Amino acid sequence: MFGGLGKIIAIGASTGGVEALGQLLSGLPDSAPPVLLVIHMQAGMTRLFANHLDGDIKLSVKEAVDGDVLKKGQVFIAPSGKHMRVISRNGQQVFVECKAGAKVQSCIPSADVLFDSVADVFKQNAIGVILTGVGADGARGLLRMREKGASTIGQDEQSSAVYGMPKVAMEMGAVQHQLPLNRIANKILSLT
């Protein structure tokens, strides 16, 4: 199924997310499952962030474009101003869709939009992660992932720059494993 991708990893982050993502992703090998991530940034900054990360970690990192095919060892960052979803064709290949739309939880891109699509396409073959950030974006979508059988992880309060998004997800029952940032990469690897 899905061209041998196995599980995929979907991550949502906001305030404090640049540092958190750098630490988390540096703990994953270049053979890791595909990583899809939403971080709330100003327009134009997601490409710069992707280029910076690409030189700092083992995984290949890029700002996602509509039609990208998911592959192992690749991180796709949702572009500023567009929602990112996964789309499956015939259960073989999975593509990224990046399109403008209305804000969700006052955000575009929105982690809820990404997580909802991952829940629909990958069900139990996914790992959802919610990191430091203001607001509630991602909590509802992470709960939907958990309800479809995915494994879910939330960053703990002590290691979060802002314990907003992970707190809402935890209170909603969306988080199976609440962990400090420095233990999340190992947990992801144990789940894959």
Side-chain angles (χ1 to χ4, degrees), residues 87-178:
I87 307 289
S88 171
R89 295 198 184 126
N90 304 321
Q92 294 301 311
Q93 279 193 312
V94 182
F95 298 85
V96 173
E97 178 185 82
C98 297
K99 301 229 184 272
K103 289 183 176 182
V104 175
Q105 296 286 347
S106 302
C107 303
I108 183 164
S110 164
D112 275 328
V113 170
L114 172 62
F115 290 166
D116 280 345
S117 71
V118 169
D120 288 340
V121 173
F122 283 91
K123 299 175 179 50
Q124 73 277 9
N125 295 311
I127 299 166
V129 182
I130 194 158
L131 299 176
T132 178
V134 174
D137 185 37
R140 183 187 50 77
L142 194 70
L143 178 61
R144 190 144 180 269
M145 285 183 68
R146 184 172 184 187
E147 290 169 347
K148 294 275 189 159
S151 299
T152 60
I153 301 168
Q155 186 174 353
D156 72 358
E157 183 173 8
Q158 292 74 25
S159 67
S160 293
V162 180
Y163 188 57
M165 289 163 51
K167 179 182 182 191
V168 174
M170 187 70 186
E171 290 173 346
M172 196 178 279
V175 175
Q176 284 177 305
H177 311 280
Q178 186 177 57

Side-chain angles (χ1 to χ4, degrees), residues 45-114:
M45 296 304 291
T46 48
R47 179 170 290 138
L48 293 173
F49 180 51
N51 292 342
H52 170 74
L53 267 182
D54 191 50
D56 277 2
I57 65 172
K58 296 173 192 131
L59 296 159
S60 178
V61 184
K62 71 179 299 249
E63 183 183 57
V65 295
D66 199 45
D68 276 340
V69 177
L70 294 194
K71 54 189 173 202
K72 289 184 178 182
Q74 180 75 58
V75 178
F76 299 91
I77 299 178
S80 302
K82 293 184 178 178
H83 289 303
M84 181 169 69
R85 295 174 175 86
V86 291
I87 307 289
S88 171
R89 295 198 184 126
N90 304 321
Q92 294 301 311
Q93 279 193 312
V94 182
F95 298 85
V96 173
E97 178 185 82
C98 297
K99 301 229 184 272
K103 289 183 176 182
V104 175
Q105 296 286 347
S106 302
C107 303
I108 183 164
S110 164
D112 275 328
V113 170
L114 172 62

